[in-house]
Structures are given as structure tokens and as C-alpha cells.
Amino acid sequence: MSTLAPLRLLREPSNASEGNQSNATVGASGGWCQGPDIPNELFLALGLVSLVENLLVVAAILKNRNLHSPTYYFICCLAVSDMLVSISNLAEMLFMLLLEHGVLVMRPSIVRHMDSVIDTLICSSVVSSLSFLGVIAVDRYITIFYALRYHSIMTLQRAVVTMASVWLASTVSSTVLITYYRSNTILLCLIGFFLFMLVLMLVLYIHMFALARHHLHSISSQQKPPTAHRGGSLKGAVTLTILLGVFFICWGPFFFHLILIVTCPTNPFCTCFFSYFNLFLILIICNSVIDPLIYAFRSQELRRTLREVVTCSW
């Protein structure tokens, strides 16, 4: 797949000459240095599946009043972030196909502008997905540790302000990233944000599960059944931990790719890693396909509403 302007340059570092890249690949000698040839149809199919799935999640949350809570609003925003990945991927594919077949004729300046718009959507989805995963983790943390005060802490107004702030910050930061994509400083900021959010979520989840383990141990020693609230909170924490794990597996290689661009742009082994860029893009799209499946299987209420949406039981 031929990626668009800034993302195409992220495939290989701009400060590595063509000669260095080819020599590095030969020096590392091995077929594994040749990245997989992934057909455009696979990108298109995954994008369509992801778009449909996330649209169903958004429709289910909007339909069911029982899901009109800050937690599910944040999950809805996460689904919208995943939809941005799908929409940008589909737009990119259609844009390239129309240009390649001569159906669409545009001036180079307009093509570059379209490239920037699509790449801004992709980068915005990265930042917003990370941000909403962090927001959901904090929301779940408040649910468990401040259960009696949750509704006074996480009010609807605060949830709306939080969502608006995340979208605004994501749009601004993605615009800056696309404008200055050649700067290692910008890449380091993106990598630093990714690592910060991972550490934040890991700390919160470790604390939550430590409390849950202590709570379950106390219940077993007293031979009392667990409360519905604690059980639901623990299930929610498990769901969000699965989301975090999937996100790390799917997005981790891409961020490691950025780290190598900054740290070892001409190293032979780093150059071999760069050749797998299309595979990293597939993993990113797979993340937006897997997330809705996790929502459906982990939430009985959402699963029931999704069935109603699919069967048009409005």
C-alpha cells in the first residue's frame, strides 16, 4: 500500500539516503528484511468492517438510555476515534484509486492538501484514542475508589467538557504533527505522550486490581457474596484492561517504528524493521476492528442493544 505524504515519509527516515537504506538491507541479509506485500483490498475490507462495527456501537449507545452515562459516552468517543481510522483509510484508498485510474484529475497542490487532511484524521485518531483510553481508566478508577461520590465527581457537565477538550487537543496536536512531521522533536512528543498514557493506565489498573483482590479475599474470609457494584466495577476494569492490551499490541509496533526513526535511522536492523511499515498499519486498523467486539462480549446491556440495532428493533 502506498501511504500518503507525511505517513509515507514516516515509513523510512528522511535523513537516511537511498544508498544507505539499500546497503543496510543487503547488510542485514535475509528475506525477513523484505516487508510483506499487503494487497490494497485487505486495507479496504478491514476499513469497511471497522466502520460498520463502530457505527453499530455508537448507535447502540445512543439508542439505549441505560447507556447514557459518562462511562459509555467515553466509550462512544473511543468508537468514534476508531471510526476516524476507518474513514481515513477508506478515503485514502478511494482517493488513490481514482487518481491512479485517471478518474480524478487534480493539481499537485490540491493533492498535497488532501494528503494533509487525511493524515490529520489519522493522527487525530491516534491522540484521541490514547486520550479516551486514559479518560476511561480514570473514570473506572473513580467508580471503584470513590463509588459513593462518583455521580457528584463525574457529572454530565464535566464529562462533556472532558470530551470536548480531548477532541480539541487532538485536532490541534495532529495539525501540528502533520505540519512539522520532519522534526524529531514532534515525533518525541508523540512517543512521550504514548508512554505517559501507558504508564498512567498501568498504574491505575494495578491499583484497581490490587483493591479488587483485597476485597475478594476479605469476602472469602467472611464468606459473604460480593456486591453487585464491586462485581460490575471489577468486570469493567477487566474490560478496559483488555482494551489497553489490544491497543498496546496493535499500536506498539508503530510507535516503536517512530522510536527507531529518531534513534537509529541508518542502522541495518532498524532499516529492516522499517520495511514492515504496512504491517503496522494493518495492526492499527485491526485495533479498530477488535475494540467493538470487546464492548459487545463484555457488556450484556450493550450486547442486547446491539442485537436490537442489527435487527432494526427500534
Side-chain angles (χ1 to χ4, degrees):
M1 178 183 179
S2 132
T3 52
L4 297 178
L7 291 184
R8 183 174 60 245
L9 292 176
L10 288 180
R11 181 193 302 272
E12 293 176 346
S14 57
N15 57 342
S17 66
E18 292 182 3
N20 287 340
Q21 292 169 7
S22 59
N23 291 336
T25 303
V26 174
S29 65
W32 67 275
C33 282
Q34 300 298 325
D37 185 17
I38 300 176
N40 289 340
E41 291 76 10
L42 180 58
F43 284 92
L44 188 61
L46 288 176
L48 286 172
V49 172
S50 171
L51 180 60
V52 172
E53 286 182 347
N54 285 286
L55 275 174
L56 288 175
V57 170
V58 173
I61 293 175
L62 294 178
K63 176 182 184 295
N64 191 339
R65 291 186 177 275
N66 293 331
L67 301 178
H68 290 184
S69 65
T71 297
Y72 280 100
Y73 285 149
F74 296 146
I75 290 177
C76 183
C77 287
L78 183 59
V80 173
S81 297
D82 289 339
M83 284 172 55
L84 283 178
V85 177
S86 306
I87 292 172
S88 58
N89 174 63
L90 293 173
E92 177 185 11
M93 288 299 306
L94 292 175
F95 187 56
M96 289 192 314
L97 289 174
L98 290 175
L99 288 176
E100 289 174 1
H101 290 82
V103 177
L104 185 64
V105 179
M106 303 174 68
R107 290 181 297 179
S109 59
I110 299 179
V111 173
R112 286 193 298 270
H113 180 70
M114 292 295 296
D115 287 353
S116 297
V117 170
I118 295 175
D119 285 332
T120 300
L121 280 175
I122 296 175
C123 294
S124 179
S125 70
V126 176
V127 178
S128 59
S129 293
L130 269 174
S131 300
F132 282 115
L133 278 173
V135 169
I136 293 171
V138 172
D139 176 77
R140 183 55 52 187
Y141 185 86
I142 296 173
T143 302
I144 294 177
F145 285 91
Y146 303 95
L148 298 179
R149 298 169 49 201
Y150 174 78
H151 293 290
S152 61
I153 296 175
M154 188 56 68
T155 62
L156 181 59
Q157 182 179 4
R158 287 176 179 170
V160 171
V161 170
T162 300
M163 290 185 288
S165 300
V166 169
W167 284 118
L168 178 61
S170 300
T171 303
V172 172
S173 59
S174 60
T175 303
V176 172
L177 175 62
I178 294 304
T179 303
Y180 301 101
Y181 64 89
R182 292 180 181 274
S183 171
N184 282 348
T185 302
I186 296 297
L187 294 182
L188 286 172
C189 289
L190 182 60
I191 294 168
F193 178 66
F194 176 75
L195 295 177
F196 170 77
M197 295 304 295
L198 276 181
V199 171
L200 172 65
M201 288 182 278
L202 283 174
V203 170
L204 293 179
Y205 286 136
I206 290 173
H207 196 189
M208 280 189 282
F209 279 111
L211 175 68
R213 182 179 179 183
H214 174 73
H215 181 71
L216 293 176
H217 179 73
S218 300
I219 289 173
S220 61
S221 63
Q222 299 173 14
Q223 297 184 343
K224 293 181 180 179
T227 62
H229 174 75
R230 288 293 185 181
S233 297
L234 178 59
K235 184 178 180 180
V238 171
T239 300
L240 298 176
T241 303
I242 295 174
L243 288 173
L244 173 61
V246 169
F247 186 90
F248 179 77
I249 292 172
C250 293
W251 282 98
F254 174 76
F255 279 93
F256 187 61
H257 177 96
L258 298 185
I259 292 174
L260 295 184
I261 286 180
V262 176
T263 58
C264 59
T266 58
N267 182 279
F269 295 101
C270 294
T271 305
C272 283
F273 193 82
F274 297 151
S275 67
Y276 285 80
F277 187 74
N278 281 348
L279 180 60
F280 307 153
L281 294 182
I282 283 290
L283 287 175
I284 290 174
I285 299 173
C286 284
N287 178 77
S288 62
V289 173
I290 296 172
D291 281 353
L293 299 179
I294 298 175
Y295 306 148
F297 282 109
R298 298 294 300 180
S299 172
Q300 182 177 359
E301 184 77 16
L302 183 55
R303 188 165 60 246
R304 180 181 63 80
T305 309
L306 281 172
R307 282 198 298 266
E308 294 176 358
V309 171
V310 171
T311 57
C312 300
S313 303
W314 292 83

